[in-house]
């Protein structure tokens, strides 16, 4: 059992204490993040891009997610460990069940699924067998081909209404946490107020209950040279990776990150 649990995060939301999350793909970085005070480690399918060098997350397999989850588990020191279920997991109910079980057995404490209200039934089924789910709304990278690129989601009244409705539906279905990616800051604030579960943001402004960044991004590492607007390089002014992790935690906790320039307008 981790020191940080779903209950811990719910209590942090109620108290207004900001939650910190970072991606991790190996034992060394997992341990360093934990030592800096990061509450949640995300084994993201972003490993397909930052570790494997692919141009999207789509090629990642559940076997690879389970492998990296096991690696992170060995370095984890009490954080809640969340693992993405890859693109192929949504093929069927049986596939989703099998993939969730695989990463949980590898060491995950929660799985993350990308999608809207249509995920309500799968989330409810997973909750019934003891698998907590973080629902991922907004820019969902597995749907990049449908979106026509990596674009802000939730702009315009219709999209905003849909995202609010999706968030509420997924909470009612049993989602334990919500992640909002590349959503206008004002909308993200409204959704964070509308649901009781913790809401983690990336490119979603400062009013969410916590923040997440891809570890390579916040260390100033990029294969492509393209840096998303919502990223801050925490290695600047630091003498070590450990110092960068500590600076990230401090900035999220004191509210200085994300600043206005890291967010998006409606």
């Amino acid at each position: 059992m981790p020191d940080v649990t779903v209950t811990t995060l719910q209590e942090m939301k109620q108290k207004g204490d900001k939650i910190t999350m970072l991606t991790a793909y190996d034992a060394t970085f997992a341990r360093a993040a934990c030592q800096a005070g990061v509450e949640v480690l995300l084994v993201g399918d972003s490993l397909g891009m930052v570790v494997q060098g692919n141009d999207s997350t789509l090629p990642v397999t559940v076997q690879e997610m389970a492998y990296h989850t096991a690696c992170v588990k060995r370095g984890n020191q009490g954080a809640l460990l969340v693992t993405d279920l890859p693109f192929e997991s949504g093929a069927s109910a049986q596939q989703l069940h099998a993939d969730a079980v695989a990463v949980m057995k590898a060491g995950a404490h929660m799985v993350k699924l990308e999608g809207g209200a249509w995920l309500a039934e799968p989330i409810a089924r997973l909750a019934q067998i003891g698998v907590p789910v973080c629902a991922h709304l907004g820019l969902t990278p597995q749907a990049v081909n449908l979106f026509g690129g990596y674009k802000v989601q939730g702009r315009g009244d219709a999209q905003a209404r849909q995202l609010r409705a999706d968030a509420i539906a997924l909470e009612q279905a049993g989602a334990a946490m919500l992640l909002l990616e590349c959503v206008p800051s004002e909308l993200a604030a409204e959704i964070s107020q509308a649901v009781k579960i913790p809401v983690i943001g990336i490119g979603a402004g400062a009013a969410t209950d916590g923040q997440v960044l891809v570890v390579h991004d916040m260390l100033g590492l990029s294969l492509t040279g393209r840096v998303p607007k919502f990223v801050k390089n925490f290695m600047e002014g630091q003498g070590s990776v450990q110092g960068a992790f500590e600076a990230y935690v401090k900035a999220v906790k004191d509210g200085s990150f994300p600043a206005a320039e890291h967010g998006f307008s409606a």
Side-chain angles (χ1 to χ4, degrees):
M1 188 65 135
D3 295 337
V4 177
T5 66
V6 171
T7 301
T8 307
L9 301 183
Q10 290 171 339
E11 291 172 349
M12 290 179 71
K13 178 183 175 93
Q14 292 164 6
K15 294 176 183 176
D17 295 338
K18 294 294 187 181
I19 300 163
T20 57
M21 177 192 283
L22 279 175
T23 64
Y25 315 102
D26 61 46
T28 303
F29 274 62
R31 179 161 298 185
C34 289
Q35 290 174 344
V38 171
E39 287 96 5
V40 186
L41 298 175
L42 172 62
V43 184
D45 59 0
S46 48
L47 70 87
M49 301 172 79
V50 299
V51 176
Q52 298 174 339
N54 296 312
D55 61 3
S56 76
T57 65
L58 301 187
V60 179
T61 67
V62 71
Q63 291 81 11
E64 290 165 343
M65 294 307 304
Y67 169 79
H68 285 277
T69 297
C71 292
V72 170
K73 177 188 177 183
R74 297 183 193 109
N76 186 18
Q77 294 184 324
L80 187 77
L81 202 167
V82 182
T83 297
D84 269 327
L85 292 186
F87 176 66
E88 63 189 14
S89 295
S92 67
Q94 293 78 11
Q95 184 77 53
L96 184 65
H97 179 279
D99 290 357
V101 169
V103 299
M104 293 292 283
K105 285 186 174 181
H109 304 126
M110 180 185 289
V111 301
K112 182 163 76 64
L113 289 172
E114 297 183 10
W118 62 271
L119 282 176
E121 186 177 342
I123 286 172
R125 286 199 304 268
L126 289 175
Q128 286 175 345
I129 63 169
V131 178
V133 176
C134 173
H136 184 160
L137 289 172
L139 172 57
T140 48
Q142 291 174 12
V144 63
N145 292 312
L146 187 64
F147 293 150
Y150 296 96
K151 300 177 180 179
V152 177
Q153 302 297 307
R155 283 178 166 157
D157 291 343
Q159 273 199 8
R161 282 196 301 271
Q162 187 62 59
L163 274 179
R164 287 190 208 96
D166 286 348
I168 292 168
L170 296 178
E171 178 187 32
Q172 291 174 342
M177 190 158 65
L178 185 65
L179 190 147
L180 297 177
E181 180 170 355
C182 290
V183 170
S185 300
E186 185 176 344
L187 175 60
E190 292 173 7
I191 291 173
S192 298
Q193 291 281 331
V195 299
K196 294 178 181 173
I197 56 177
V199 178
I200 308 298
I202 178 167
T208 54
D209 303 307
Q211 299 293 326
V212 62
L213 283 177
V214 171
V215 67
H216 294 68
D217 287 344
M218 58 83 66
L219 292 176
L221 300 172
S222 172
L223 277 174
T224 64
R226 294 191 301 270
V227 180
K229 178 183 178 181
F230 53 77
V231 169
K232 178 178 177 179
N233 181 357
F234 284 90
M235 274 300 293
E236 291 181 353
Q238 301 299 324
S240 67
V241 169
Q242 192 64 45
F245 285 168
E246 292 168 1
Y248 169 73
V249 171
K250 181 179 183 298
V252 173
K253 296 291 187 184
D254 67 22
S256 59
F257 178 81
E261 65 263 25
H262 300 117
F264 300 95
S265 58

